Amino acid sequence: MNEFLDSIFFDNTVRQYLIVAAIIIVVLLAKRFIAHHVAGFIFSIIKLRWKSINKATFKTLVAKPLALFLAVFITIVALDKLTFPSQLNFSIYHISLKELISIIGTASIIITFFLFLIKCVDFIGLMIIERYAADDERSKSQVIIFFKDFIKTLLGILAILLILKYCFNYDVKGLLTGLSIVGAAVALALKENLENFIASIVIFFDKPFVIGDYVKVNNVSGVIEKIGFRSTRIRSDDKTFITVPNKQMSDSILDNISNRLQRRYVLKLEIAPSTPYQKVQALVKGLNAIIQKDEIESASVFVTDITSSAIIITTEIYTAPVAIPVFNNTKQTVVMQALELMEQAGIEIAGKSTDVNITTQGPDKPPPTKIL
């Protein structure tokens, strides 16, 4: 038995193959168990600081990428203990198979490790966002989302640099130096994107709006759904998805309708100028009675102007910042009761005419003739 285990195939003994295979099989079968126990240990430490942390969410975001990283790392370390067979050491496009496998293994470790880090950033961001989920702290949540995406982008760039360094032996310092030289040219070429990025930073710190606000900018109105590095996404009133560059969002006149303190509605009634004073006074008194409603916080009725064509009576009402359907229902109630009041008082709208005048004109007389 020992002779068989010590027999050599492809520059390695059977014993070495069996040990490596056993390690890989155990890792693949137990990776989830190991990852959950490691994640549980990390969770118990984090739980000491954040009491409201969700264990299921933590294991979903952290345990799975951790299990993948551990499986890849241990598998590659185990395979590294084997001697690469000289029979398989041939070249592919000037790269030996041994070098190619080494590149793939190193890249796999780096990629899975940074995927694990990115998922950790997602979990930390989610945990902090839930902490500031209240309406009065949505701006803090918005900043956290921005920096979470920014950190994930930096981790992605760092992973690429490490792959270039340790997989392809690329001079990263020379690359960074070259990037600094061409940085000015890239900045000029990406001038608009750079302006949008700077505008996004201004938006996050100035906070003219946050995710969930209803805004109107450049004839576009809708709800803010996402604020990115370059643009802001708005769900319009027509339920379309509109992308607006952040530079326009910061430079344009923006109306944040969600921050309004009240909703305002103005009803202008133009009645016939021949309406008697008593009826005008009764109409004003009746309108004052109409606007005495619980949903109306403040209101006023006054005669705005008297012209040759109309007497103008203005009714101005203010409600709380209620939903649009509720506000529209209040407006409709006021308008319908005003029409009923005018009908009962016999008051006509200015410009209304019931007289029909028919004018007839006879044929023109022929011009007189002269007799010479």
Side-chain angles (χ1 to χ4, degrees):
M1 185 66 180
N2 289 331
E3 292 181 358
F4 173 74
L5 294 177
D6 292 333
S7 57
I8 298 175
F9 295 94
F10 291 101
D11 298 337
N12 294 281
T13 63
V14 175
R15 188 188 307 274
Q16 289 175 309
Y17 286 125
L18 291 177
I19 293 174
V20 171
I23 292 174
I24 294 175
I25 292 173
V26 170
V27 169
L28 293 178
L29 293 177
K31 66 175 184 177
R32 182 174 298 178
F33 176 79
I34 297 172
H36 275 271
H37 274 71
V38 175
F41 174 73
I42 299 174
F43 174 81
S44 62
I45 296 175
I46 298 177
K47 186 74 173 178
L48 298 175
R49 175 62 181 82
W50 288 282
K51 304 295 183 181
S52 60
I53 183 174
N54 189 307
K55 188 174 183 179
T57 305
F58 176 79
K59 288 192 173 183
T60 300
L61 288 176
V62 178
K64 290 183 178 180
L66 178 60
L68 178 62
F69 168 69
L70 291 176
V72 171
F73 179 76
I74 297 175
T75 299
I76 293 175
V77 170
L79 291 173
D80 187 61
K81 298 302 179 181
L82 296 174
T83 302
F84 191 83
S86 58
Q87 298 88 338
L88 300 178
N89 195 15
F90 54 87
S91 298
I92 302 175
Y93 292 105
H94 307 291
I95 300 177
S96 65
L97 182 60
K98 181 179 179 180
E99 293 176 346
L100 182 61
I101 293 176
S102 177
I103 290 172
I104 294 174
T106 305
S108 299
I109 292 175
I110 294 174
I111 291 172
T112 53
F113 177 70
F114 275 89
L115 284 176
F116 167 66
L117 292 181
I118 289 173
K119 289 298 182 179
C120 290
V121 172
D122 282 335
F123 173 74
I124 294 172
L126 179 63
M127 185 171 55
I128 299 176
I129 288 171
E130 290 180 355
R131 165 67 178 80
Y132 297 108
D135 290 339
D136 56 341
E137 295 184 333
R138 282 185 301 171
S139 59
K140 296 181 180 179
S141 173
Q142 174 179 296
V143 174
I144 292 166
I145 293 174
F146 173 80
F147 280 105
K148 182 189 72 171
D149 294 339
F150 184 70
I151 292 173
K152 288 167 63 177
T153 302
L154 291 180
L155 288 175
I157 294 174
L158 181 58
I160 294 173
L161 293 177
L162 290 177
I163 291 174
L164 293 175
K165 172 66 177 178
Y166 293 103
C167 296
F168 301 99
N169 293 322
Y170 197 87
D171 185 11
V172 177
K173 292 182 180 179
L175 177 62
L176 295 176
T177 303
L179 289 176
S180 64
I181 294 175
V182 301
V186 173
L188 289 175
L190 302 177
K191 178 176 177 294
E192 185 174 348
N193 289 329
L194 185 61
E195 289 177 347
N196 288 321
F197 175 73
I198 295 174
S200 66
I201 296 176
V202 173
I203 290 172
F204 282 117
F205 286 99
D206 191 41
K207 302 183 188 69
F209 55 86
V210 296
I211 295 174
D213 280 353
Y214 184 85
V215 301
K216 183 177 182 181
V217 57
N218 292 341
N219 296 324
V220 174
S221 57
V223 178
I224 302 291
E225 287 198 355
K226 183 179 180 181
I227 305 172
F229 292 148
R230 196 195 71 84
S231 60
T232 297
R233 276 77 168 183
I234 300 176
R235 183 68 64 182
S236 70
D237 295 335
D238 296 328
K239 304 307 177 185
T240 57
F241 202 47
I242 300 175
T243 300
V244 183
N246 284 331
K247 188 175 184 300
Q248 293 187 20
M249 296 295 292
S250 62
D251 291 346
S252 303
I253 297 176
L254 184 141
D255 184 9
N256 193 333
I257 301 175
S258 295
N259 288 341
R260 71 186 342 157
L261 300 177
Q262 292 179 315
R263 288 189 182 273
R264 176 175 179 265
Y265 173 64
V266 176
L267 172 64
K268 286 188 176 182
L269 298 178
E270 298 184 1
I271 62 177
S274 59
T275 305
Y277 166 77
Q278 292 80 6
K279 288 188 176 182
V280 175
Q281 189 177 33
L283 179 59
V284 172
K285 184 177 180 180
L287 291 173
N288 272 303
I290 290 173
I291 60 179
Q292 302 303 317
K293 301 181 183 299
D294 293 336
E295 58 269 26
I296 297 177
E297 295 184 344
S298 61
S300 60
V301 179
F302 49 91
V303 178
T304 305
D305 200 1
I306 300 176
T307 66
S308 59
S309 59
I311 299 174
I312 303 174
I313 301 175
T314 301
T315 303
E316 189 176 42
I317 64 175
Y318 290 91
T319 69
V322 295
I324 287 293
V326 178
F327 181 66
N328 288 338
N329 184 63
T330 302
K331 290 195 301 182
Q332 177 177 280
T333 302
V334 171
V335 171
M336 296 300 291
Q337 290 181 357
L339 289 175
E340 182 182 7
L341 179 63
M342 293 176 64
E343 183 179 350
Q344 292 175 354
I347 299 175
E348 297 180 352
I349 297 294
K352 182 179 179 182
S353 176
T354 57
D355 297 333
V356 178
N357 296 322
I358 301 176
T359 304
T360 58
Q361 183 176 1
D364 296 335
K365 296 181 179 180
T369 57
K370 293 182 179 181
I371 301 174
L372 297 176

